[in-house]
Amino acid sequence: MQNSLEQKRSARKEEVSKKDREVPERVEDAAQQNQKIVKDLESMMQTLEEQQLASLTQKDQDTLQEYAEKQKELQEEADDLTEMADELSQQNPFMDENADKQLDMASKSMEGAGEKLEKRDVQGALTDERESLYRLAEAKKGMETAKERIATLEFLFIIFKEKPQYYVG
């Protein structure tokens, strides 16, 4: 009976040991298969992109070039606005410093979109365009907040100037 228990324990150890060896082998096999799938998908994407570029008409290519040029102009405008917002932030402590950061990020996204349009990467350009729109909206919110702060301060200044008795200091 003692012998039979030892045989069962030994068999379990061999079974566990065999499973321990199988798991890493199976993980490695899955990783290799996954790597092959990724390579195949990348190859398919490359082929699709080449076909897509080949199917663009001259008019489509001209339009993309026009968009790239317009994007460059907008990016330069955003750079100018970033500088102006930075100057305003330095002059006015109530300016939202996040607004100029958002403008800077919008400008970078616009630059990326322009570069991608020149390379005929419409999908990538669209992603960058969406990012720049989001950043511009955030910058606008920051500017609106600063505008409200300044208006409130101007109002308080007028009240205290006209009626100093309200000032408790």
Side-chain angles (χ1 to χ4, degrees), residues 29-58:
D29 184 51
Q32 287 176 355
Q33 288 179 22
N34 191 17
Q35 207 168 28
K36 183 184 181 322
I37 290 170
V38 167
K39 285 181 182 179
D40 289 347
L41 287 173
E42 287 173 344
S43 175
M44 290 170 67
M45 287 295 294
Q46 179 70 29
T47 301
L48 288 172
E49 287 174 6
E50 289 170 1
Q51 289 174 355
Q52 183 182 20
L53 285 176
S55 68
L56 289 177
T57 65
Q58 186 60 45

Side-chain angles (χ1 to χ4, degrees), residues 1-144:
M1 183 139 175
Q2 182 77 356
N3 215 6
S4 135
L5 283 175
E6 285 182 26
Q7 287 174 343
K8 286 182 181 180
R9 284 184 193 153
S10 178
R12 283 187 201 153
K13 284 183 183 179
E14 287 178 24
E15 188 177 311
V16 168
S17 178
K18 184 179 178 184
K19 286 182 181 178
D20 286 343
R21 286 180 296 198
E22 285 178 6
V23 169
E25 290 171 3
R26 293 175 102 186
V27 168
E28 178 64 27
D29 184 51
Q32 287 176 355
Q33 288 179 22
N34 191 17
Q35 207 168 28
K36 183 184 181 322
I37 290 170
V38 167
K39 285 181 182 179
D40 289 347
L41 287 173
E42 287 173 344
S43 175
M44 290 170 67
M45 287 295 294
Q46 179 70 29
T47 301
L48 288 172
E49 287 174 6
E50 289 170 1
Q51 289 174 355
Q52 183 182 20
L53 285 176
S55 68
L56 289 177
T57 65
Q58 186 60 45
K59 182 179 178 183
D60 292 337
Q61 292 177 21
D62 292 344
T63 301
L64 286 176
Q65 187 59 40
E66 287 175 26
Y67 287 159
E69 291 167 8
K70 182 65 176 172
Q71 190 62 53
K72 177 74 173 156
E73 291 172 17
L74 292 172
Q75 184 249 323
E76 289 171 359
E77 277 186 53
D79 285 343
D80 292 343
L81 288 172
T82 301
E83 287 179 32
M84 288 173 49
D86 188 42
E87 289 172 13
L88 287 172
S89 291
Q90 291 174 7
Q91 294 171 4
N92 186 339
F94 301 103
M95 279 296 288
D96 182 9
E97 66 270 352
N98 190 40
D100 57 333
K101 290 177 187 173
Q102 294 293 334
L103 282 170
D104 187 47
M105 288 190 277
S107 174
K108 287 184 172 113
S109 293
M110 289 176 188
E111 182 179 17
E115 290 171 358
K116 289 176 180 158
L117 283 169
E118 287 176 356
K119 294 176 184 174
R120 313 279 194 268
D121 178 7
V122 176
Q123 189 65 34
L126 185 58
T127 300
D128 285 347
E129 283 293 339
R130 286 183 177 137
E131 176 70 15
S132 68
L133 285 172
Y134 170 77
R135 297 297 175 188
L136 288 171
E138 291 297 306
K140 183 179 177 185
K141 285 181 195 174
M143 293 292 184
E144 292 295 326

